[in-house]
Each structure stands twice: as C-alpha cells, then as structure tokens.
Amino acid sequence: MNTKSYFFQSFAIVALALVAFIGFKQILPDKIFSESKLDSKNILIDSLLLESVAEDSLSLDKDSIAKSEEALNGQKIVFDQTEGIEFPAETFENYKGYQYLISFYEKLYQLEKNPQNKVRIAYYGDSMTDGDLIVQDVRTNYQERFGGNGVGFVSITSESAASRGSVKSTYSKNWKTQSYLNVKRPTCPFGVNGHVFFANDKSNSTWVQYEAGLNKYSTSLDNATLFYGRSSKTGKVNFIIGKDTIKKSLSPNGLVNTLKVSSGSLKSFKANFVQADSIPIYGFNFDNGAGVHVDNFSQRGNSGLPISMFNADVMRAFNNSLKYDLIILHYGTNVLNYGTKNYSWYEKGMTKTVNKIKESFPGVSILIVSTADKSTKYDLEMKTDSAVVPLMKAQKHYALEAQAGFVNLYTLMGGDGSMIKWVDETPAKANKDYTHFNQRGAKAIGNLLYGQLNKGYEEYKVLREKRDAEGTKPKPVRKARPDSVSVTKDSV
C-alpha cells in the first residue's frame, strides 16, 4: 500500500472519530464541556475520585433518587439515648445530628470545668480551607472561649505555606513528598495529614523552618514536637534556635515516633535533617497542652475519598499522642464538576472514609460539612450550579447513615443564589470564580460553623444538667416508632 493510501486511511479515521465525538457530545451532560476556562495550575485531582467517576455510569436515576428522598422527607429521625441524653427528634431536611457529637460536647464540658484539660479537633478539607482559611477562625473562636494556644499539627511542605498567616514556614526544595491524592502505595505509610516526606538528598541539606504567625493565640510555637515514622536506619536532626544548634538523634523504632525540639515557647527555629534519608517524616505539632487545638489538614483537589486509604494502625499511633475528640470532613468543591446529579457513588465512597476514621480513631465524634453554594453560567445568567443541592443531600444522607453530625453549609450561607450575593456585595466575601471564599468570607463561614457547633453544645449542657438533676439513667435501646426513621444503615 502506498503512502497516499496510508494518508487517506489516517484522515478517514480522524474524521470518523471527530464525527463520533460530536454526536456523543450531544447526549452527554453539558457540565462536562464547561464554557469557562479553568486555570489548572496547582490543581490536583485525587485518583480515587477519578476511579469512582469512571466506574459510575453518570446516569441520572430520577426514580431511585425521588424514592429515596420521599422515604426520608417528612419522617422523624428519633435518636437513642447516649449516657442518658437524647436530643429532640429531627427531620432529614433540617438534620444536624447533635446527638452524635455528645462525646465531643462532653469533652468541652469537662474542659470548661477544668481549664487544664485538652480538646483536639482534626479538620480535613480541600481548597476551601487552604492557607488555614475557615479553620483558623474556627480555632480562634474555640480558643477565645475555652483557652489554648498554638496552630496544632503542621506539615513539612505545603502548597499554601506562603499564604498561611497563622504560621510561617519555608523549606528546601529537595524534599521527596508522597501524597494520598496521587500515590496508592507509599514507600512508608501516610501520616495523619495524608502525606509522608523524605529527606533523601545526601548531597544537599534538607531543611524546614517555622516562624510563629501573627494570628491571635498563635504568636508562639509551643512545645514544638517532631513526628516521624518507622525505619531500619537511624538518623539525625539539627535544630537551629537563634544562635544555638541542638543536635538530636532520630530513633525510628515505633510506627509513629516523637521528638521534642525544646520545652516552652519559641518564636522560630530551623530543622536540618542529616543522614535521615530512609526515615518517613510527617511534620511538627505546636500546642501549649491545654484548651482547644485544631489541626488543619487541607489539600487542594481532595474529595475526601483518599482518607479511606489510611493505615488504621498508624492512625491509632498518632492518636495515642494527639488524642482527637472531633474529626471534621469538609469536602465537595472537587466533586461538583462531573456531569452527574446522582451521587450514590460518592455516598458509598465517603461511607468507607467515615468507617476508616472510626476504625482509626475509636470513639471520636465525626462532623460532615456539606458543599457550599457555587454558581455557574446558564444561558448568560449566573445561577446556583445544578449539582450543588443533589451533592448536599448525598452528603447529608451519608452523614445520617454514618451517625455523624452535619453542617449544611449551602443553607447556612443563604441557600439558592447565595454565592452570587457573596461575590457581588461590597465588600465582597467570595472570589470571581463563584466557588471560593476570600479571607473576609472565610472568616464569616468559620464563625457560622462555630456558631452551629456551639449551639449544639449549649443545648447539650441544658440536657446534661437536666439529666443530672433528675438522676436519669440511660434507657435501653428501643425500636424506632412507626412515625420515625431508625438511624441505622438498613433504614437509610
């Protein structure tokens, strides 16, 4: 066959492919082919999300969704007592699930009675909480009321290190980083932050430096402590504090090991890792040992699904030192753009995530924060994205099924069309991408989140004091009444 024949064959194949694509495009959801051009720089998409979407048919099963909502709407959610306390029944529409935050609220109650106690929160999120946005305001609210100083756990490297105000960090560029967003089988297990770092450059210095931020309650680095993992080889780290250099050895014998930089408070320090190339490094923790501490584990592009890959034994080892009382899962931004309004695949995946958290952090309370409002252009007019409400309902559904608290961020910020108002008002509280909040808006959201959590806590105190006054004993687990929906896996 001559060259001309090859050319025409190739041209025909390309032409047929183009025609097929144009025809196929007509039956695909419009949202797959967005009119806006997104800047993909620094945007990561976790591999589990892509796999879940690929496995799903992306079909809109209206009948099953309608039946599911009809079964839940209008029915009461009646809770079983926990330690003699029972919050009032709720509806699915207004579900908050304070009942499942009782162990967290009890820790706050004990802290309020004894300021030397400690309460710890892990806040997992995506780009919404990048740079400590939202989280730093939740942290400040809690520390304002209950005490506590410090920003908590901080990773070795971060995309948002330069923009974070609550702690300043710089680091050498030769760190090897593995993230749970794009690595399924890390060289060593991921840390509680979803990352593991290696100082494996034998020719050049591998270092990280921290400096206290300017935010209230984070103006010092208290009890700076390094967390690192297991290895067959030892290593060394030199801490440079002012003009002094403190040389210490790394003994990586346990699943998770700690090394205190120094006692008391620091304004800044630098850590140089020497001959530590095989040791997994996780990050540093900063807290004063009393009050409330909130760790920000944000990661751009995260859907929440990668948490299901955590090594439960390693997480329990972290928890032995950090002792979490509440874990917040704040996701949704990266799950809206896949041309589907059927999020059953996401419910299934996030249920695995919640189950992994329960296995990894026994007894911890869990709070699900829904997607915020997001606006998209339809026929030259900005409107709430059609996927927002279906995703929010799916998040509420798996929160109920997993027996977790729930914050409906979509309604909390104003519901339908609210993102447009947040962008257009003066001064603006959200960015022109109609998706992310600016610092002013993040502060408002942080205050709203804290407000809902605190409302539940105040209700808990009333119920607790009533229980104590009446000498109420825990009731046996009862069956759900006919007019109620049982809060079990089978019923939802």
Side-chain angles (χ1 to χ4, degrees):
M1 189 177 293
N2 58 32
T3 304
K4 184 177 292 186
S5 298
Y6 277 118
F7 171 78
F8 283 113
Q9 274 194 354
S10 300
F11 179 81
I13 291 172
V14 172
L16 286 172
L18 181 60
V19 171
F21 171 77
I22 293 173
F24 189 49
K25 179 178 182 295
Q26 303 304 314
I27 62 173
L28 286 176
D30 293 337
K31 290 301 302 299
I32 290 181
F33 306 96
S34 174
E35 294 179 1
S36 60
K37 295 181 179 180
L38 299 177
D39 180 8
S40 61
K41 184 179 180 181
N42 290 330
I43 296 178
L44 301 174
I45 301 296
D46 67 72
S47 58
L48 286 185
L49 175 60
L50 293 177
E51 286 182 8
S52 296
V53 173
E55 291 173 1
D56 187 73
S57 64
L58 296 183
S59 62
L60 177 58
D61 188 349
K62 294 181 180 179
D63 290 338
S64 64
I65 293 176
K67 289 179 181 178
S68 176
E69 291 184 9
E70 185 179 352
L72 289 170
N73 288 337
Q75 293 195 10
K76 289 182 179 180
I77 301 168
V78 180
F79 304 103
D80 293 324
Q81 282 191 357
T82 301
E83 299 299 324
I85 294 174
E86 179 184 336
F87 275 85
E90 297 185 73
T91 63
F92 180 73
E93 183 179 2
N94 297 311
Y95 176 70
K96 294 181 178 64
Y98 292 144
Q99 184 75 28
Y100 302 121
L101 303 180
I102 283 179
S103 64
F104 168 63
Y105 287 152
E106 177 62 20
K107 291 294 183 65
L108 286 178
Y109 186 86
Q110 295 301 327
L111 173 59
E112 201 165 18
K113 299 293 183 182
N114 183 1
Q116 296 306 309
N117 284 359
K118 183 176 178 180
V119 171
R120 194 172 200 99
I121 301 171
Y123 200 123
Y124 289 91
D126 50 28
S127 56
M128 282 292 189
T129 55
D130 200 38
D132 215 18
L133 291 179
I134 299 176
V135 181
Q136 63 187 355
D137 299 297
V138 172
R139 182 188 302 117
T140 297
N141 276 302
Y142 271 113
Q143 292 181 335
E144 181 79 43
R145 176 171 180 182
F146 295 95
N149 192 81
V151 297
F153 196 99
V154 182
S155 293
I156 297 296
T157 74
S158 168
E159 308 106 324
S160 61
S163 63
R164 182 171 181 174
S166 53
V167 64
K168 300 176 182 178
S169 65
T170 53
Y171 46 86
S172 59
K173 302 303 181 182
N174 54 349
W175 282 97
K176 177 184 177 182
T177 303
Q178 292 189 327
S179 166
Y180 63 170
L181 251 69
N182 41 39
V183 177
K184 283 188 175 181
R185 298 173 182 82
T187 307
C188 293
F190 298 120
V192 68
N193 51 352
H195 293 75
V196 58
F197 306 91
F198 297 92
N200 63 345
D201 189 337
K202 297 181 180 180
S203 303
N204 302 289
S205 175
T206 307
W207 54 269
V208 61
Q209 180 170 316
Y210 298 97
E211 181 181 347
L214 300 176
N215 291 19
K216 197 174 184 180
Y217 309 116
S218 64
T219 56
S220 61
L221 304 174
D222 298 317
N223 298 320
T225 304
L226 170 67
F227 281 70
Y228 61 102
R230 174 177 286 170
S231 175
S232 59
K233 298 180 181 179
T234 59
K236 297 178 181 179
V237 58
N238 298 332
F239 296 115
I240 302 171
I241 305 171
K243 296 181 180 180
D244 298 327
T245 298
I246 303 173
K247 298 182 178 182
K248 294 193 176 185
S249 298
L250 298 173
S251 301
N253 300 318
L255 280 177
V256 176
N257 309 276
T258 60
L259 178 64
K260 185 165 286 191
V261 178
S262 68
S263 299
S265 300
L266 300 171
K267 286 296 182 182
S268 65
F269 72 91
K270 184 176 183 178
N272 271 325
F273 291 83
V274 182
Q275 298 175 350
D277 54 291
S278 66
I279 300 176
I281 307 295
Y282 295 121
F284 286 83
N285 179 57
F286 309 105
D287 72 62
N288 68 335
V292 177
H293 299 96
V294 185
D295 301 334
N296 183 355
F297 298 135
S298 65
Q299 174 65 64
R300 298 175 190 175
N302 200 349
S303 66
L305 299 177
I307 294 176
S308 63
M309 296 192 300
F310 275 166
N311 182 306
D313 291 333
V314 172
M315 293 305 108
R316 283 191 288 267
F318 268 99
N319 202 40
N320 287 338
S321 295
L322 298 172
K323 296 179 172 56
Y324 289 106
D325 301 296
L326 175 68
I327 291 181
I328 300 175
L329 302 177
H330 183 168
Y331 296 105
T333 307
N334 303 290
V335 192
L336 287 169
N337 298 315
Y338 289 90
T340 179
K341 299 183 188 71
N342 181 357
Y343 286 101
S344 58
W345 58 272
Y346 187 62
E347 287 185 42
K348 181 179 178 181
M350 286 303 291
T351 298
K352 290 182 180 179
T353 288
V354 174
N355 289 337
K356 176 64 71 170
I357 288 174
K358 290 181 177 180
E359 178 188 3
S360 303
F361 307 94
V364 71
S365 295
I366 299 172
L367 177 72
I368 309 301
V369 179
S370 83
T371 178
D373 187 34
K374 174 187 176 178
S375 295
T376 300
K377 186 176 289 186
Y378 295 98
D379 297 326
L380 303 180
E381 183 181 358
M382 296 300 294
K383 297 180 181 180
T384 288
D385 192 290
S386 60
V388 167
V389 172
L391 175 57
M392 176 272 290
K393 289 182 178 179
Q395 291 174 311
K396 188 191 301 186
H397 194 189
Y398 82 72
L400 175 62
E401 180 173 346
Q403 300 190 352
F406 182 73
V407 172
N408 189 337
L409 190 54
Y410 165 71
T411 58
L412 203 61
M413 66 179 289
D416 184 60
S418 55
M419 182 57 78
I420 300 171
K421 296 177 183 177
W422 283 55
V423 172
D424 293 344
E425 66 184 26
T426 304
K429 292 191 291 187
N431 299 324
K432 289 293 185 178
D433 64 356
Y434 291 87
T435 301
H436 294 90
F437 303 104
N438 58 24
Q439 288 195 356
R440 188 179 297 104
K443 184 180 178 85
I445 292 296
N447 291 339
L448 288 170
L449 285 171
Y450 171 78
Q452 179 171 320
L453 279 170
N454 190 59
K455 182 180 179 182
Y457 175 61
E458 294 298 336
E459 291 182 21
Y460 170 75
K461 288 202 298 183
V462 172
L463 292 171
R464 190 187 193 283
E465 289 165 5
K466 180 181 178 181
R467 179 202 68 182
D468 293 346
E470 297 176 351
T472 305
K473 295 182 179 180
K475 296 178 182 178
V477 176
R478 65 176 184 281
K479 295 182 179 179
R481 294 190 293 272
D483 63 340
S484 66
V485 56
S486 175
V487 189
T488 63
K489 184 175 181 180
D490 292 337
S491 65
V492 292

